[in-house]
Amino acid sequence: MPAKTTAPSERSVTRTYRTAIKLGDDFITIEETITLPLDASPEDVQRAVELGWRIFHQQREAVEQQIAQIREQHPTSTPITVRDPDAPASERQRNFIASLQQTLGWSNEQLAAFAHQLGYDLVSLNKGQASAFIDELRRQQEEQQRLAVAEERARYAHQPINDRQRNAITNLARELALDTNTEIQRRFNASLDQLTNEQAAILINEWQAMQRASRDTRR
C-alpha cells in the first residue's frame, strides 16, 4: 500500500480511503492512507487541503485496481451463497461487522439500533442474517463516504484559483506545448483567472496525466 509516515510529534494531515469486499465466505478490507507532513505555515495547510480531493481520486483508482486484481484471482462462476445459512454467525463475520462498525464510527448502541431496524438480533445472528447485515453496513459505509466527499467538494469547490494552482497550470501548459487560455476556454468556457479551485485541480490532474503519458512515450 502506498503510504508515507511521519514522526509522531510532527504535525500532519492524513487521508484514508477504506473499502470492504466480499469474496465467497471471505471478507477483505482494503485501506489506502496518505499522510502529508505540515509545518506551521498556513500556505502549506491550505495546500494539503487542496490536494485532498485529488488524493481521493488517486486512492479510489488504486483501490479499484486492487479489487479488480483480487477478483481476478478469486473467480466465481456461480452466484455467491452462504454455507449453512441457519448456523450461528461465524467469528469471521462478527469480526467483519466490528470492523465496519469502527469504519462507520458507530457506537454499540447505534449498531444495535440499526440491526433492530432491519429486524436482526445481534446476539442471535445466523450466517445468512450476518451476511445480509454486512451488505447493509457496506451500503451505509459507501453512503457515508459519498456524503463526506460531497461535503468536501461543497466546501472547497467554489473557492477561486490560488497562486500555486495558477503557476502549476502555466508550467504544465509550457511543458505540454499547450495554449493555456485556449485550452481553458475550451474545457471550462472561462479564463485562467476565472477558474474555481476545483476546476483548477481537475485541470492540473488531467494535464499531469498527459505529462506522465508523454514522458512514458519518450522512454
Side-chain angles (χ1 to χ4, degrees):
M1 300 283 180
K4 184 183 292 184
T5 58
T6 59
S9 60
E10 186 177 18
R11 295 182 60 194
S12 63
V13 58
T14 299
R15 173 172 293 277
T16 298
Y17 183 87
R18 184 182 296 110
T19 188
I21 60 174
K22 180 179 178 183
L23 298 169
D25 290 334
D26 293 328
F27 303 93
I28 299 176
T29 299
I30 293 178
E31 179 176 300
E32 288 282 347
T33 299
I34 295 178
T35 300
L36 299 175
L38 299 175
D39 57 23
S41 168
E43 181 181 356
D44 285 343
V45 175
Q46 179 65 22
R47 180 179 61 186
V49 171
E50 291 165 357
L51 282 172
W53 181 238
R54 290 165 56 196
I55 290 172
F56 168 79
H57 277 299
Q58 293 172 356
Q59 286 176 305
R60 182 175 61 182
E61 291 174 3
V63 169
E64 288 175 350
Q65 290 175 4
Q66 290 181 63
I67 292 175
Q69 292 173 356
I70 291 173
R71 291 196 185 281
E72 287 178 1
Q73 296 169 5
H74 297 76
T76 54
S77 57
T78 58
I80 296 174
T81 58
V82 178
R83 292 191 294 269
D84 301 323
D86 295 328
S90 67
E91 181 178 357
R92 178 180 294 166
Q93 286 177 314
R94 290 194 176 276
N95 288 339
F96 196 68
I97 289 173
S99 175
L100 288 170
Q101 176 188 358
Q102 182 178 15
T103 300
L104 289 165
W106 286 3
S107 66
N108 291 337
E109 291 74 16
Q110 287 174 301
L111 183 70
F114 184 64
H116 180 73
Q117 178 183 338
L118 298 174
Y120 300 135
D121 180 352
L122 291 179
V123 176
S124 60
L125 278 179
N126 60 37
K127 283 189 174 181
Q129 292 171 332
S131 179
F133 187 49
I134 286 170
D135 288 340
E136 292 296 333
L137 289 174
R138 289 184 60 199
R139 292 189 185 94
Q140 291 295 311
Q141 178 191 26
E142 291 168 359
E143 179 64 11
Q144 190 181 80
Q145 290 173 342
R146 186 190 67 78
L147 290 175
V149 170
E151 289 175 1
E152 182 178 350
R153 293 189 65 181
R155 183 177 179 184
Y156 298 108
H158 301 297
Q159 291 184 3
I161 184 174
N162 58 43
D163 289 340
R164 185 190 61 80
Q165 291 175 315
R166 188 180 290 103
N167 291 336
I169 289 173
T170 301
N171 292 335
L172 284 166
R174 184 183 302 112
E175 181 171 340
L176 295 169
L178 298 173
D179 185 295
T180 306
N181 291 327
T182 299
E183 291 297 324
I184 293 175
Q185 182 67 31
R186 179 185 63 80
R187 183 70 173 79
F188 297 106
N189 193 29
S191 67
L192 176 60
D193 290 334
Q194 291 173 333
L195 288 179
T196 65
N197 186 288
E198 182 184 32
Q199 288 172 331
I202 291 172
L203 191 64
I204 290 170
N205 192 48
E206 292 176 352
W207 286 6
Q208 284 178 336
M210 292 171 59
Q211 180 188 53
R212 289 192 296 271
S214 177
R215 289 175 177 173
D216 290 342
T217 301
R218 294 197 296 266
R219 289 177 181 173

